[in-house]
Amino acid sequence: MRILHLSDLHIGIKLYNHDLHKDQEYLFEQITDYVREYQPDAVLIAGDIYDKAAPSVESVQLFNHFMEALYEASDTAQIMIISGNHDSAQRLDYFSWLLSHQRVHMVGIAPCKPDEYIKKVVLTDAYGPVNFYLLPFCKPSVLRGALKDEETTNYNEALHRLFARETINHSERNILVSHQFYLPLGKDANDIERMESEITAVGNIDVVGSDLLEPFEYAALGHIHKPMSTGDSRFRYSGTPMAYSVSEAGQEKGILMVDIGNKGEPVTVTRLLLMPKHQVRIIEDTFETVLRQASEDYVQINLTDMQDLDVIDLQERLFLAFPNLLEIRRMYIRGADFSNTACNDVYDSPYELICSFIPDMDTEEREIIQSVINEALEVDA
């Protein structure tokens, strides 16, 4: 069985107030082409369809066009979608029953009553059934009704108890689609690199142990924006389709193609790269050198000029060269080291005292300081 796994579309997101509508449209066309080329049995979208719970009209229209294109790219592929923490669960759950009869399985709301269970979709190939478990993003407070427990406040405990209620047939192939922060066993949550475009919980209270994923042949995960596994190559975060923050500059973005054979056979995962309309880049160099690298990419410019720049229209010239400029930073700004009080230190000369306050002077500047001191001493003499 062949699956395409993507997540964290964040339709409507802005990058430093730059509208990414055209960029996302460009990427969705590539994803549609991959569906048309590889003809998967299922397309899995693991949450965060929108960037906001109340998306704009333009965002809804873009997602609608994307869904139409996916649907038309294959006559048989089942499209499975779950909500993420950025989505409105209720909005994504509208008409879900009706859509499920049209090859679109959209699950917005997690189990919240004792008789509700994780939504399961069963597909069949030459080796038998494949069970897809579709679990939207959920907080412990949402699961209390299903668990009959008013005291469950821990994400890890709540998710483990939720799965304990499920009857998973371990003799068949099972796939999980989930939008949570799954932490590899033995790892510290603080060691997991998170992107600036993500919403992170204070104290990483939303961590869920990745041991929960063991019953599954593959876990199609969303929530983490950097493409990564949870330590086991079968359990993957596909990451965002493009960089949504400067911290993601240079990352290869894409979707995952997963081929699953018979029970017990290794799962094959192939990354299908997506080429953005505009890259997100960091350019670090002197002002004049940067100007010669004009581009329409989304760029953060780090100026490394050692001397003060006497350029009145510096910003205007940079914005003219880089119409999608995100930010300008000066990497070298001269300043005194005021943390040095010199109260407890003994210096052999005024020159050494001055150097202690301004330690980053170059050779020419040090010679000027020494010359001025010498002249002052001569006058005083």
Side-chain angles (χ1 to χ4, degrees), residues 284-287 302-307 329-332:
E284 187 167 318
D285 217 318
T286 61
F287 175 65
N302 298 338
L303 296 177
T304 60
D305 298 83
M306 299 291 287
Q307 304 299 327
R329 294 185 179 184
R330 291 295 306 274
M331 302 306 292
Y332 182 85

Coordinates of all heavy atoms in Angstrom, one line a residue, residues 284-287 302-307 329-332:
E284 N 24.7 36.8 5.1 CA 25.6 37.5 6.1 C 26.8 37.9 5.4 O 27.6 37.1 4.9 CB 25.9 36.5 7.2 CG 26.7 37.2 8.4 CD 26.7 36.3 9.6 OE1 25.7 35.7 10.0 OE2 27.8 36.2 10.2
D285 N 27.0 39.2 5.2 CA 28.1 39.8 4.6 C 28.1 41.3 4.7 O 27.2 41.9 5.4 CB 28.1 39.4 3.1 CG 29.5 39.1 2.5 OD1 30.4 39.9 2.9 OD2 29.6 38.2 1.7
T286 N 29.1 41.9 4.1 CA 29.2 43.4 4.2 C 28.1 44.0 3.3 O 27.5 43.4 2.4 CB 30.5 43.9 3.7 OG1 30.7 43.5 2.3 CG2 31.6 43.3 4.6
F287 N 27.8 45.3 3.6 CA 26.7 46.0 2.9 C 26.8 45.9 1.4 O 25.9 45.5 0.6 CB 26.6 47.4 3.4 CG 25.6 48.2 2.6 CD1 24.2 48.0 2.8 CD2 26.0 49.3 1.9 CE1 23.3 48.7 2.1 CE2 25.0 50.1 1.2 CZ 23.7 49.8 1.3
N302 N 22.2 40.0 7.6 CA 23.1 40.2 8.7 C 24.3 41.0 8.2 O 25.2 40.4 7.5 CB 23.5 38.9 9.4 CG 22.4 38.2 10.0 OD1 21.3 38.7 10.2 ND2 22.5 36.9 10.2
L303 N 24.4 42.3 8.4 CA 25.5 43.1 7.9 C 26.7 42.9 8.9 O 26.6 43.0 10.1 CB 25.1 44.5 7.9 CG 24.0 44.9 6.9 CD1 23.6 46.3 6.9 CD2 24.4 44.5 5.4
T304 N 27.9 42.6 8.2 CA 29.1 42.3 9.0 C 30.1 43.5 9.0 O 31.2 43.3 9.4 CB 29.7 41.1 8.5 OG1 30.1 41.2 7.1 CG2 28.8 39.9 8.7
D305 N 29.7 44.6 8.4 CA 30.7 45.8 8.3 C 31.2 46.1 9.7 O 30.4 46.3 10.6 CB 29.9 47.0 7.7 CG 29.4 46.7 6.3 OD1 28.3 46.1 6.2 OD2 30.1 47.0 5.3
M306 N 32.5 46.2 9.8 CA 33.2 46.6 11.0 C 33.1 48.0 11.4 O 33.0 48.4 12.5 CB 34.7 46.2 11.0 CG 34.9 44.7 10.7 SD 34.4 43.7 12.2 CE 35.7 44.1 13.3
Q307 N 33.0 48.9 10.3 CA 33.0 50.3 10.5 C 31.5 50.8 10.5 O 30.6 50.1 9.9 CB 33.8 51.1 9.4 CG 35.2 50.6 9.4 CD 36.0 50.9 10.6 OE1 35.7 51.9 11.3 NE2 37.0 50.0 11.0
R329 N 19.9 43.1 10.3 CA 20.6 43.0 11.6 C 22.1 43.5 11.4 O 22.7 43.2 10.3 CB 20.6 41.6 12.1 CG 19.3 41.1 12.6 CD 19.4 39.8 13.2 NE 18.1 39.3 13.7 CZ 17.9 38.1 14.4 NH1 19.0 37.4 14.7 NH2 16.7 37.7 14.8
R330 N 22.6 44.2 12.4 CA 24.0 44.5 12.4 C 24.7 43.6 13.3 O 24.5 43.5 14.5 CB 24.2 46.0 12.9 CG 23.7 47.1 12.0 CD 24.5 47.1 10.7 NE 25.9 47.2 10.9 CZ 26.6 48.4 11.0 NH1 25.9 49.5 11.0 NH2 27.9 48.4 11.2
M331 N 25.7 42.8 12.7 CA 26.4 41.8 13.5 C 27.5 42.4 14.3 O 27.9 41.8 15.3 CB 27.0 40.7 12.5 CG 25.9 40.1 11.7 SD 24.6 39.3 12.6 CE 25.5 38.0 13.5
Y332 N 28.0 43.6 13.9 CA 29.1 44.2 14.7 C 28.7 45.6 15.0 O 28.6 46.5 14.1 CB 30.3 44.2 13.8 CG 31.6 44.7 14.5 CD1 32.3 43.9 15.3 CD2 31.9 46.1 14.4 CE1 33.5 44.4 16.0 CE2 33.0 46.6 15.0 CZ 33.8 45.8 15.8 OH 34.9 46.3 16.5

